[in-house]
Amino acid sequence: MEASATENDAAARQVIADHIRTLFEGHGSRQWYDGYEAVSQTRHALQCAQNAIATGAEERLVSAAFLHDIGHLIDLNGRDKFQSGSDAQHEEVGANWLGQWFPPSVTEPIRWHVAAKRYLCATEPSYHASLSLVSQRSLALQGGVMFAGECMAFEKMRFSADAIRLRRWDDHAKDPEKPLPDFQDVMAYIIRSVHVPAI
Ligand SMILES: [Fe+2]
């Protein structure tokens, strides 16, 4: 008997989720966040999702929080680029890759979460000092503090508010001791956020 469309859809979502999980259980669990932070990419991603859940964020934003740095796991040369003083644009790499399966409401906050840091540095006097040293160093490579005109343009963008929310969860997701949410519970958000089963 042929599988129903619902069964095919569920299977496709699971395949995508399994692929993503493999990235985090492999490179993500071994790779220190940005090469220097005290947490792995996977711990950072889980904590970021945890922060989103704690604020009652929509499902799509919990998914964006978990996936926001997946570009680091796709472009494995990114860390070398960072260490040699160039920006790998992990936000673009990740958002473009995720766009195969996830809607803009997931991918665009990810694409703009670095811009959100540049924006917050320009608009909140205490924000820059609150960043980790790695985030402060990468800021310069990512274009530095936004100019006034850039801030105005950013504020008008459709997903800028979501990108700022994501950025704040991101900034507070580098605790090496904090208990983590269950991986499977977070993956359930990912599965439900898949938009296009393109397989
Ligand atoms: Fe991050």
Side-chain angles (χ1 to χ4, degrees), residues 38-39 43 47 50 174-180:
V39 294
R43 173 171 280 274
Q47 255 179 45
Q50 185 179 41
K174 299 173 184 177
D175 185 335
E177 306 291 342
K178 191 175 174 185
L180 296 173

Side-chain angles (χ1 to χ4, degrees), residues 114-135:
V114 171
K117 176 173 75 171
R118 298 180 57 225
Y119 172 82
L120 288 169
C121 284
T123 56
E124 288 189 6
S126 62
Y127 180 76
H128 182 270
S130 74
L131 292 172
S132 69
L133 291 177
V134 175
S135 287

Side-chain angles (χ1 to χ4, degrees), residues 33-34 41 44-45 48 65 68-69 72 90 113 135 166-167 169-171 173-174:
Y33 176 65
D34 275 5
Q41 289 286 351
H44 175 62
C48 197
H68 77 280
D69 279 337
H72 287 307
H90 74 283
H113 81 278
S135 287
L166 170 52
R167 185 72 225 181
W169 300 324
D170 179 9
D171 292 332
K174 299 173 184 177

Side-chain angles (χ1 to χ4, degrees), residues 4-178:
S4 69
T6 304
E7 287 168 335
N8 283 336
D9 182 66
R13 288 169 186 266
Q14 190 62 53
V15 168
I16 295 159
D18 288 346
H19 184 41
I20 289 169
R21 183 171 185 145
T22 299
L23 288 175
F24 280 96
E25 289 183 336
H27 296 306
S29 61
R30 292 190 295 271
Q31 185 178 317
W32 294 125
Y33 176 65
D34 275 5
Y36 298 95
E37 304 277 19
V39 294
S40 68
Q41 289 286 351
T42 301
R43 173 171 280 274
H44 175 62
L46 287 169
Q47 255 179 45
C48 197
Q50 185 179 41
N51 292 342
I53 292 167
T55 65
E58 305 92 310
E59 208 156 70
R60 64 184 178 83
L61 284 178
V62 174
S63 296
F66 180 73
L67 297 167
H68 77 280
D69 279 337
I70 201 166
H72 287 307
L73 305 183
I74 296 165
D75 176 11
L76 297 179
N77 295 319
R79 195 164 57 169
D80 291 340
K81 290 176 193 164
F82 178 70
Q83 286 169 339
S84 63
S86 64
D87 178 27
Q89 298 191 304
H90 74 283
E91 70 278 17
E92 290 285 339
V93 172
N96 290 340
W97 187 80
L98 291 166
Q100 300 174 87
W101 308 297
F102 294 89
S105 58
V106 174
T107 62
E108 297 316 287
I110 292 172
R111 190 182 308 282
W112 298 107
H113 81 278
V114 171
K117 176 173 75 171
R118 298 180 57 225
Y119 172 82
L120 288 169
C121 284
T123 56
E124 288 189 6
S126 62
Y127 180 76
H128 182 270
S130 74
L131 292 172
S132 69
L133 291 177
V134 175
S135 287
Q136 289 181 2
R137 182 182 167 204
S138 59
L139 173 69
L141 301 179
Q142 292 160 337
V145 179
M146 275 188 179
F147 298 112
E150 290 178 291
C151 288
M152 287 169 60
F154 181 70
E155 287 165 2
K156 288 179 185 159
M157 288 174 41
R158 183 175 169 202
F159 291 103
S160 60
D162 287 341
I164 289 170
R165 292 174 74 194
L166 170 52
R167 185 72 225 181
R168 295 193 195 279
W169 300 324
D170 179 9
D171 292 332
H172 294 95
K174 299 173 184 177
D175 185 335
E177 306 291 342
K178 191 175 174 185

